[in-house]
PDB file of all heavy atoms in Angstrom:
ATOM      1  N   GLU A 213     -60.092  11.074  86.386  1.00  0.00           N
ATOM      2  CA  GLU A 213     -60.086  10.338  85.131  1.00  0.00           C
ATOM      3  C   GLU A 213     -59.167   9.083  85.244  1.00  0.00           C
ATOM      4  O   GLU A 213     -59.480   7.969  84.747  1.00  0.00           O
ATOM      5  CB  GLU A 213     -59.543  11.212  84.003  1.00  0.00           C
ATOM      6  CG  GLU A 213     -60.535  12.205  83.542  1.00  0.00           C
ATOM      7  CD  GLU A 213     -60.026  13.220  82.497  1.00  0.00           C
ATOM      8  OE1 GLU A 213     -58.814  13.153  82.206  1.00  0.00           O
ATOM      9  OE2 GLU A 213     -60.768  13.983  82.002  1.00  0.00           O
ATOM     10  N   ALA A 214     -58.000   9.216  85.986  1.00  0.00           N
ATOM     11  CA  ALA A 214     -57.158   8.091  86.143  1.00  0.00           C
ATOM     12  C   ALA A 214     -57.831   6.936  86.995  1.00  0.00           C
ATOM     13  O   ALA A 214     -57.723   5.815  86.744  1.00  0.00           O
ATOM     14  CB  ALA A 214     -55.704   8.529  86.710  1.00  0.00           C
ATOM     15  N   ALA A 215     -58.447   7.508  88.018  1.00  0.00           N
ATOM     16  CA  ALA A 215     -59.113   6.454  88.983  1.00  0.00           C
ATOM     17  C   ALA A 215     -60.206   5.747  88.141  1.00  0.00           C
ATOM     18  O   ALA A 215     -60.495   4.629  88.349  1.00  0.00           O
ATOM     19  CB  ALA A 215     -59.692   7.272  90.160  1.00  0.00           C
ATOM     20  N   ARG A 216     -61.068   6.524  87.341  1.00  0.00           N
ATOM     21  CA  ARG A 216     -62.135   5.869  86.554  1.00  0.00           C
ATOM     22  C   ARG A 216     -61.512   4.860  85.583  1.00  0.00           C
ATOM     23  O   ARG A 216     -62.072   3.733  85.381  1.00  0.00           O
ATOM     24  CB  ARG A 216     -62.907   6.919  85.802  1.00  0.00           C
ATOM     25  CG  ARG A 216     -63.874   7.647  86.611  1.00  0.00           C
ATOM     26  CD  ARG A 216     -64.730   8.593  85.815  1.00  0.00           C
ATOM     27  NE  ARG A 216     -65.575   9.283  86.704  1.00  0.00           N
ATOM     28  CZ  ARG A 216     -66.198  10.442  86.352  1.00  0.00           C
ATOM     29  NH1 ARG A 216     -65.885  11.008  85.209  1.00  0.00           N
ATOM     30  NH2 ARG A 216     -67.034  11.068  87.197  1.00  0.00           N
ATOM     31  N   LYS A 217     -60.429   5.225  84.934  1.00  0.00           N
ATOM     32  CA  LYS A 217     -59.784   4.277  84.053  1.00  0.00           C
ATOM     33  C   LYS A 217     -59.340   2.999  84.783  1.00  0.00           C
ATOM     34  O   LYS A 217     -59.621   1.934  84.327  1.00  0.00           O
ATOM     35  CB  LYS A 217     -58.568   4.943  83.390  1.00  0.00           C
ATOM     36  CG  LYS A 217     -57.902   4.148  82.312  1.00  0.00           C
ATOM     37  CD  LYS A 217     -56.725   4.861  81.703  1.00  0.00           C
ATOM     38  CE  LYS A 217     -56.025   3.954  80.691  1.00  0.00           C
ATOM     39  NZ  LYS A 217     -54.906   4.620  80.050  1.00  0.00           N
ATOM     40  N   ASN A 218     -58.694   3.145  85.897  1.00  0.00           N
ATOM     41  CA  ASN A 218     -58.285   1.938  86.686  1.00  0.00           C
ATOM     42  C   ASN A 218     -59.505   1.163  87.092  1.00  0.00           C
ATOM     43  O   ASN A 218     -59.571  -0.121  87.122  1.00  0.00           O
ATOM     44  CB  ASN A 218     -57.559   2.393  87.893  1.00  0.00           C
ATOM     45  CG  ASN A 218     -56.093   2.920  87.578  1.00  0.00           C
ATOM     46  OD1 ASN A 218     -55.584   2.476  86.471  1.00  0.00           O
ATOM     47  ND2 ASN A 218     -55.522   3.632  88.417  1.00  0.00           N
ATOM     48  N   PHE A 219     -60.526   1.802  87.543  1.00  0.00           N
ATOM     49  CA  PHE A 219     -61.749   1.126  87.960  1.00  0.00           C
ATOM     50  C   PHE A 219     -62.396   0.335  86.818  1.00  0.00           C
ATOM     51  O   PHE A 219     -62.840  -0.838  86.978  1.00  0.00           O
ATOM     52  CB  PHE A 219     -62.767   2.099  88.446  1.00  0.00           C
ATOM     53  CG  PHE A 219     -64.023   1.483  89.035  1.00  0.00           C
ATOM     54  CD1 PHE A 219     -64.046   0.828  90.193  1.00  0.00           C
ATOM     55  CD2 PHE A 219     -65.261   1.618  88.295  1.00  0.00           C
ATOM     56  CE1 PHE A 219     -65.210   0.173  90.730  1.00  0.00           C
ATOM     57  CE2 PHE A 219     -66.354   0.943  88.801  1.00  0.00           C
ATOM     58  CZ  PHE A 219     -66.333   0.305  90.027  1.00  0.00           C
ATOM     59  N   ASN A 220     -62.344   0.991  85.589  1.00  0.00           N
ATOM     60  CA  ASN A 220     -62.951   0.270  84.378  1.00  0.00           C
ATOM     61  C   ASN A 220     -62.145  -0.932  84.122  1.00  0.00           C
ATOM     62  O   ASN A 220     -62.659  -2.047  83.645  1.00  0.00           O
ATOM     63  CB  ASN A 220     -63.086   1.242  83.279  1.00  0.00           C
ATOM     64  CG  ASN A 220     -64.210   2.214  83.433  1.00  0.00           C
ATOM     65  OD1 ASN A 220     -65.108   2.043  84.177  1.00  0.00           O
ATOM     66  ND2 ASN A 220     -64.067   3.315  82.744  1.00  0.00           N
ATOM     67  N   ILE A 221     -60.759  -0.851  84.160  1.00  0.00           N
ATOM     68  CA  ILE A 221     -59.829  -1.990  83.837  1.00  0.00           C
ATOM     69  C   ILE A 221     -60.180  -3.194  84.948  1.00  0.00           C
ATOM     70  O   ILE A 221     -60.301  -4.272  84.539  1.00  0.00           O
ATOM     71  CB  ILE A 221     -58.416  -1.648  83.896  1.00  0.00           C
ATOM     72  CG1 ILE A 221     -58.227  -0.643  82.728  1.00  0.00           C
ATOM     73  CG2 ILE A 221     -57.508  -2.717  83.951  1.00  0.00           C
ATOM     74  CD1 ILE A 221     -56.858   0.001  82.682  1.00  0.00           C
ATOM     75  N   GLU A 222     -60.260  -2.809  86.151  1.00  0.00           N
ATOM     76  CA  GLU A 222     -60.492  -3.811  87.183  1.00  0.00           C
ATOM     77  C   GLU A 222     -61.896  -4.441  86.973  1.00  0.00           C
ATOM     78  O   GLU A 222     -62.001  -5.664  87.104  1.00  0.00           O
ATOM     79  CB  GLU A 222     -60.450  -3.144  88.602  1.00  0.00           C
ATOM     80  CG  GLU A 222     -59.022  -2.786  88.964  1.00  0.00           C
ATOM     81  CD  GLU A 222     -58.955  -2.076  90.279  1.00  0.00           C
ATOM     82  OE1 GLU A 222     -60.033  -2.000  91.001  1.00  0.00           O
ATOM     83  OE2 GLU A 222     -57.949  -1.573  90.648  1.00  0.00           O
ATOM     84  N   ASP A 223     -62.904  -3.654  86.630  1.00  0.00           N
ATOM     85  CA  ASP A 223     -64.227  -4.135  86.364  1.00  0.00           C
ATOM     86  C   ASP A 223     -64.176  -5.147  85.148  1.00  0.00           C
ATOM     87  O   ASP A 223     -64.822  -6.180  85.258  1.00  0.00           O
ATOM     88  CB  ASP A 223     -65.203  -2.934  86.074  1.00  0.00           C
ATOM     89  CG  ASP A 223     -66.643  -3.345  86.129  1.00  0.00           C
ATOM     90  OD1 ASP A 223     -66.945  -4.211  86.933  1.00  0.00           O
ATOM     91  OD2 ASP A 223     -67.441  -2.877  85.194  1.00  0.00           O
ATOM     92  N   GLN A 224     -63.532  -4.832  84.105  1.00  0.00           N
ATOM     93  CA  GLN A 224     -63.378  -5.649  82.902  1.00  0.00           C
ATOM     94  C   GLN A 224     -62.766  -6.908  83.333  1.00  0.00           C
ATOM     95  O   GLN A 224     -63.117  -8.012  82.801  1.00  0.00           O
ATOM     96  CB  GLN A 224     -62.694  -4.986  81.801  1.00  0.00           C
ATOM     97  CG  GLN A 224     -62.811  -5.700  80.501  1.00  0.00           C
ATOM     98  CD  GLN A 224     -64.119  -5.946  79.990  1.00  0.00           C
ATOM     99  OE1 GLN A 224     -65.017  -5.082  80.072  1.00  0.00           O
ATOM    100  NE2 GLN A 224     -64.467  -7.142  79.492  1.00  0.00           N
ATOM    101  N   LEU A 225     -61.635  -6.877  84.076  1.00  0.00           N
ATOM    102  CA  LEU A 225     -60.912  -8.135  84.522  1.00  0.00           C
ATOM    103  C   LEU A 225     -61.857  -9.080  85.367  1.00  0.00           C
ATOM    104  O   LEU A 225     -61.787 -10.226  85.091  1.00  0.00           O
ATOM    105  CB  LEU A 225     -59.660  -7.727  85.329  1.00  0.00           C
ATOM    106  CG  LEU A 225     -58.587  -7.106  84.587  1.00  0.00           C
ATOM    107  CD1 LEU A 225     -57.499  -6.698  85.625  1.00  0.00           C
ATOM    108  CD2 LEU A 225     -58.023  -8.103  83.545  1.00  0.00           C
ATOM    109  N   MET A 226     -62.771  -8.457  86.238  1.00  0.00           N
ATOM    110  CA  MET A 226     -63.650  -9.343  87.000  1.00  0.00           C
ATOM    111  C   MET A 226     -64.673  -9.903  86.012  1.00  0.00           C
ATOM    112  O   MET A 226     -64.943 -11.110  86.267  1.00  0.00           O
ATOM    113  CB  MET A 226     -64.362  -8.436  88.023  1.00  0.00           C
ATOM    114  CG  MET A 226     -63.502  -7.904  89.074  1.00  0.00           C
ATOM    115  SD  MET A 226     -62.876  -9.233  90.101  1.00  0.00           S
ATOM    116  CE  MET A 226     -64.322  -9.703  90.981  1.00  0.00           C
ATOM    117  N   LYS A 227     -65.209  -9.237  85.041  1.00  0.00           N
ATOM    118  CA  LYS A 227     -66.175  -9.743  84.110  1.00  0.00           C
ATOM    119  C   LYS A 227     -65.531 -10.946  83.298  1.00  0.00           C
ATOM    120  O   LYS A 227     -66.210 -11.969  83.059  1.00  0.00           O
ATOM    121  CB  LYS A 227     -66.649  -8.717  83.118  1.00  0.00           C
ATOM    122  CG  LYS A 227     -67.587  -7.711  83.754  1.00  0.00           C
ATOM    123  CD  LYS A 227     -68.080  -6.661  82.810  1.00  0.00           C
ATOM    124  CE  LYS A 227     -68.967  -5.647  83.482  1.00  0.00           C
ATOM    125  NZ  LYS A 227     -69.392  -4.603  82.560  1.00  0.00           N
ATOM    126  N   ASP A 228     -64.293 -10.712  82.911  1.00  0.00           N
ATOM    127  CA  ASP A 228     -63.605 -11.734  82.167  1.00  0.00           C
ATOM    128  C   ASP A 228     -63.451 -12.991  82.994  1.00  0.00           C
ATOM    129  O   ASP A 228     -63.607 -14.192  82.529  1.00  0.00           O
ATOM    130  CB  ASP A 228     -62.241 -11.268  81.619  1.00  0.00           C
ATOM    131  CG  ASP A 228     -62.457 -10.237  80.442  1.00  0.00           C
ATOM    132  OD1 ASP A 228     -63.529 -10.082  79.933  1.00  0.00           O
ATOM    133  OD2 ASP A 228     -61.418  -9.493  80.174  1.00  0.00           O
ATOM    134  N   ALA A 229     -63.024 -12.797  84.176  1.00  0.00           N
ATOM    135  CA  ALA A 229     -62.837 -13.943  85.120  1.00  0.00           C
ATOM    136  C   ALA A 229     -64.164 -14.687  85.367  1.00  0.00           C
ATOM    137  O   ALA A 229     -64.218 -15.963  85.386  1.00  0.00           O
ATOM    138  CB  ALA A 229     -62.145 -13.469  86.454  1.00  0.00           C
ATOM    139  N   ASP A 230     -65.227 -13.910  85.614  1.00  0.00           N
ATOM    140  CA  ASP A 230     -66.486 -14.625  85.757  1.00  0.00           C
ATOM    141  C   ASP A 230     -66.918 -15.405  84.563  1.00  0.00           C
ATOM    142  O   ASP A 230     -67.435 -16.553  84.642  1.00  0.00           O
ATOM    143  CB  ASP A 230     -67.556 -13.554  86.107  1.00  0.00           C
ATOM    144  CG  ASP A 230     -67.494 -13.026  87.414  1.00  0.00           C
ATOM    145  OD1 ASP A 230     -66.853 -13.608  88.323  1.00  0.00           O
ATOM    146  OD2 ASP A 230     -68.125 -11.926  87.732  1.00  0.00           O
ATOM    147  N   LYS A 231     -66.655 -14.823  83.395  1.00  0.00           N
ATOM    148  CA  LYS A 231     -67.039 -15.503  82.098  1.00  0.00           C
ATOM    149  C   LYS A 231     -66.204 -16.790  81.974  1.00  0.00           C
ATOM    150  O   LYS A 231     -66.789 -17.859  81.675  1.00  0.00           O
ATOM    151  CB  LYS A 231     -66.727 -14.579  80.938  1.00  0.00           C
ATOM    152  CG  LYS A 231     -67.189 -15.077  79.671  1.00  0.00           C
ATOM    153  CD  LYS A 231     -66.976 -14.028  78.549  1.00  0.00           C
ATOM    154  CE  LYS A 231     -67.443 -14.478  77.176  1.00  0.00           C
ATOM    155  NZ  LYS A 231     -67.127 -13.474  76.132  1.00  0.00           N
ATOM    156  N   GLU A 232     -64.888 -16.769  82.280  1.00  0.00           N
ATOM    157  CA  GLU A 232     -64.150 -17.994  82.205  1.00  0.00           C
ATOM    158  C   GLU A 232     -64.550 -18.979  83.193  1.00  0.00           C
ATOM    159  O   GLU A 232     -64.625 -20.204  82.912  1.00  0.00           O
ATOM    160  CB  GLU A 232     -62.600 -17.644  82.469  1.00  0.00           C
ATOM    161  CG  GLU A 232     -62.006 -16.921  81.302  1.00  0.00           C
ATOM    162  CD  GLU A 232     -60.535 -16.514  81.711  1.00  0.00           C
ATOM    163  OE1 GLU A 232     -59.974 -17.023  82.674  1.00  0.00           O
ATOM    164  OE2 GLU A 232     -60.004 -15.684  81.006  1.00  0.00           O
ATOM    165  N   GLU A 233     -64.924 -18.648  84.368  1.00  0.00           N
ATOM    166  CA  GLU A 233     -65.417 -19.507  85.381  1.00  0.00           C
ATOM    167  C   GLU A 233     -66.723 -20.183  84.978  1.00  0.00           C
ATOM    168  O   GLU A 233     -66.925 -21.428  85.146  1.00  0.00           O
ATOM    169  CB  GLU A 233     -65.601 -18.745  86.749  1.00  0.00           C
ATOM    170  CG  GLU A 233     -65.839 -19.724  87.947  1.00  0.00           C
ATOM    171  CD  GLU A 233     -65.842 -18.913  89.210  1.00  0.00           C
ATOM    172  OE1 GLU A 233     -64.942 -18.028  89.479  1.00  0.00           O
ATOM    173  OE2 GLU A 233     -66.900 -19.070  89.907  1.00  0.00           O
ATOM    174  N   LYS A 234     -67.602 -19.472  84.340  1.00  0.00           N
ATOM    175  CA  LYS A 234     -68.904 -20.054  83.917  1.00  0.00           C
ATOM    176  C   LYS A 234     -68.649 -21.106  82.816  1.00  0.00           C
ATOM    177  O   LYS A 234     -69.357 -22.087  82.659  1.00  0.00           O
ATOM    178  CB  LYS A 234     -69.836 -18.948  83.453  1.00  0.00           C
ATOM    179  CG  LYS A 234     -70.437 -18.173  84.574  1.00  0.00           C
ATOM    180  CD  LYS A 234     -71.394 -17.090  84.145  1.00  0.00           C
ATOM    181  CE  LYS A 234     -71.886 -16.279  85.257  1.00  0.00           C
ATOM    182  NZ  LYS A 234     -72.702 -15.184  84.881  1.00  0.00           N
ATOM    183  N   GLU A 235     -67.743 -20.736  81.940  1.00  0.00           N
ATOM    184  CA  GLU A 235     -67.343 -21.651  80.866  1.00  0.00           C
ATOM    185  C   GLU A 235     -66.800 -22.924  81.362  1.00  0.00           C
ATOM    186  O   GLU A 235     -67.187 -24.011  80.859  1.00  0.00           O
ATOM    187  CB  GLU A 235     -66.443 -21.010  79.856  1.00  0.00           C
ATOM    188  CG  GLU A 235     -67.039 -19.920  78.946  1.00  0.00           C
ATOM    189  CD  GLU A 235     -66.043 -19.125  78.126  1.00  0.00           C
ATOM    190  OE1 GLU A 235     -64.806 -19.523  78.094  1.00  0.00           O
ATOM    191  OE2 GLU A 235     -66.478 -18.197  77.451  1.00  0.00           O
ATOM    192  N   LYS A 236     -66.028 -22.921  82.364  1.00  0.00           N
ATOM    193  CA  LYS A 236     -65.374 -24.042  82.960  1.00  0.00           C
ATOM    194  C   LYS A 236     -66.447 -24.945  83.657  1.00  0.00           C
ATOM    195  O   LYS A 236     -66.443 -26.118  83.496  1.00  0.00           O
ATOM    196  CB  LYS A 236     -64.366 -23.699  84.021  1.00  0.00           C
ATOM    197  CG  LYS A 236     -63.072 -23.199  83.417  1.00  0.00           C
ATOM    198  CD  LYS A 236     -62.026 -22.846  84.484  1.00  0.00           C
ATOM    199  CE  LYS A 236     -60.807 -22.294  83.947  1.00  0.00           C
ATOM    200  NZ  LYS A 236     -59.802 -21.905  84.919  1.00  0.00           N
ATOM    201  N   GLU A 237     -67.453 -24.286  84.320  1.00  0.00           N
ATOM    202  CA  GLU A 237     -68.531 -24.933  84.954  1.00  0.00           C
ATOM    203  C   GLU A 237     -69.412 -25.662  83.882  1.00  0.00           C
ATOM    204  O   GLU A 237     -69.836 -26.845  84.081  1.00  0.00           O
ATOM    205  CB  GLU A 237     -69.402 -23.977  85.733  1.00  0.00           C
ATOM    206  CG  GLU A 237     -68.725 -23.498  86.978  1.00  0.00           C
ATOM    207  CD  GLU A 237     -69.664 -22.432  87.762  1.00  0.00           C
ATOM    208  OE1 GLU A 237     -70.786 -22.166  87.307  1.00  0.00           O
ATOM    209  OE2 GLU A 237     -69.205 -21.898  88.714  1.00  0.00           O
ATOM    210  N   LYS A 238     -69.575 -25.000  82.766  1.00  0.00           N
ATOM    211  CA  LYS A 238     -70.426 -25.609  81.694  1.00  0.00           C
ATOM    212  C   LYS A 238     -69.734 -26.946  81.244  1.00  0.00           C
ATOM    213  O   LYS A 238     -70.305 -27.949  80.920  1.00  0.00           O
ATOM    214  CB  LYS A 238     -70.607 -24.644  80.506  1.00  0.00           C
ATOM    215  CG  LYS A 238     -71.678 -23.642  80.827  1.00  0.00           C
ATOM    216  CD  LYS A 238     -71.952 -22.783  79.624  1.00  0.00           C
ATOM    217  CE  LYS A 238     -72.905 -21.685  79.931  1.00  0.00           C
ATOM    218  NZ  LYS A 238     -73.031 -20.716  78.825  1.00  0.00           N
ATOM    219  N   LYS A 239     -68.373 -26.768  81.049  1.00  0.00           N
ATOM    220  CA  LYS A 239     -67.608 -27.938  80.560  1.00  0.00           C
ATOM    221  C   LYS A 239     -67.611 -29.103  81.485  1.00  0.00           C
ATOM    222  O   LYS A 239     -67.809 -30.256  81.065  1.00  0.00           O
ATOM    223  CB  LYS A 239     -66.145 -27.495  80.290  1.00  0.00           C
ATOM    224  CG  LYS A 239     -65.967 -26.702  79.043  1.00  0.00           C
ATOM    225  CD  LYS A 239     -64.521 -26.367  78.876  1.00  0.00           C
ATOM    226  CE  LYS A 239     -64.404 -25.438  77.594  1.00  0.00           C
ATOM    227  NZ  LYS A 239     -63.001 -24.921  77.447  1.00  0.00           N
ATOM    228  N   THR A 240     -67.523 -28.871  82.763  1.00  0.00           N
ATOM    229  CA  THR A 240     -67.566 -29.903  83.755  1.00  0.00           C
ATOM    230  C   THR A 240     -68.928 -30.446  83.873  1.00  0.00           C
ATOM    231  O   THR A 240     -69.047 -31.611  84.041  1.00  0.00           O
ATOM    232  CB  THR A 240     -67.138 -29.361  85.218  1.00  0.00           C
ATOM    233  OG1 THR A 240     -67.871 -28.304  85.621  1.00  0.00           O
ATOM    234  CG2 THR A 240     -65.594 -28.969  85.179  1.00  0.00           C
ATOM    235  N   ASP A 241     -69.977 -29.659  83.756  1.00  0.00           N
ATOM    236  CA  ASP A 241     -71.396 -30.202  83.757  1.00  0.00           C
ATOM    237  C   ASP A 241     -71.626 -31.061  82.594  1.00  0.00           C
ATOM    238  O   ASP A 241     -72.241 -32.166  82.687  1.00  0.00           O
ATOM    239  CB  ASP A 241     -72.334 -28.960  83.675  1.00  0.00           C
ATOM    240  CG  ASP A 241     -72.498 -28.351  85.091  1.00  0.00           C
ATOM    241  OD1 ASP A 241     -71.920 -28.844  86.047  1.00  0.00           O
ATOM    242  OD2 ASP A 241     -72.979 -27.157  85.091  1.00  0.00           O
ATOM    243  N   LYS A 242     -71.097 -30.727  81.457  1.00  0.00           N
ATOM    244  CA  LYS A 242     -71.338 -31.599  80.295  1.00  0.00           C
ATOM    245  C   LYS A 242     -70.554 -32.901  80.436  1.00  0.00           C
ATOM    246  O   LYS A 242     -70.965 -33.964  79.929  1.00  0.00           O
ATOM    247  CB  LYS A 242     -70.848 -30.888  78.985  1.00  0.00           C
ATOM    248  CG  LYS A 242     -71.781 -29.826  78.521  1.00  0.00           C
ATOM    249  CD  LYS A 242     -71.223 -29.123  77.297  1.00  0.00           C
ATOM    250  CE  LYS A 242     -72.185 -27.976  76.817  1.00  0.00           C
ATOM    251  NZ  LYS A 242     -71.623 -27.312  75.692  1.00  0.00           N
ATOM    252  N   GLY A 243     -69.423 -32.933  81.024  1.00  0.00           N
ATOM    253  CA  GLY A 243     -68.548 -34.076  81.219  1.00  0.00           C
ATOM    254  C   GLY A 243     -69.224 -35.056  82.311  1.00  0.00           C
ATOM    255  O   GLY A 243     -69.018 -36.243  82.129  1.00  0.00           O
ATOM    256  N   GLU A 244     -70.024 -34.586  83.201  1.00  0.00           N
ATOM    257  CA  GLU A 244     -70.599 -35.434  84.121  1.00  0.00           C
ATOM    258  C   GLU A 244     -71.840 -36.127  83.525  1.00  0.00           C
ATOM    259  O   GLU A 244     -72.222 -37.210  83.978  1.00  0.00           O
ATOM    260  CB  GLU A 244     -71.039 -34.592  85.361  1.00  0.00           C
ATOM    261  CG  GLU A 244     -69.824 -34.102  86.249  1.00  0.00           C
ATOM    262  CD  GLU A 244     -70.315 -33.213  87.401  1.00  0.00           C
ATOM    263  OE1 GLU A 244     -71.524 -33.061  87.511  1.00  0.00           O
ATOM    264  OE2 GLU A 244     -69.376 -32.657  88.058  1.00  0.00           O
ATOM    265  N   LYS A 245     -72.534 -35.518  82.620  1.00  0.00           N
ATOM    266  CA  LYS A 245     -73.745 -36.103  82.081  1.00  0.00           C
ATOM    267  C   LYS A 245     -73.493 -37.083  81.113  1.00  0.00           C
ATOM    268  O   LYS A 245     -73.048 -37.996  80.673  1.00  0.00           O
ATOM    269  CB  LYS A 245     -74.536 -35.022  81.338  1.00  0.00           C
ATOM    270  CG  LYS A 245     -75.126 -34.099  82.369  1.00  0.00           C
ATOM    271  CD  LYS A 245     -75.993 -32.928  81.592  1.00  0.00           C
ATOM    272  CE  LYS A 245     -76.535 -31.980  82.588  1.00  0.00           C
ATOM    273  NZ  LYS A 245     -77.243 -30.970  81.933  1.00  0.00           N
TER     274      LYS A 245
END
Side-chain angles (χ1 to χ4, degrees):
E213 287 174 353
R216 283 185 180 159
K217 184 178 177 182
N218 288 337
F219 183 75
N220 288 339
I221 290 171
E222 290 175 7
D223 190 39
Q224 187 61 40
L225 289 173
M226 291 296 287
K227 287 179 182 177
D228 291 344
D230 285 343
K231 188 176 180 181
E232 288 176 14
E233 192 174 308
K234 287 180 182 178
E235 288 175 3
K236 287 180 182 177
E237 286 177 5
K238 285 182 183 178
K239 288 179 182 178
T240 57
D241 288 344
K242 287 181 181 178
E244 292 176 2
K245 290 181 180 179

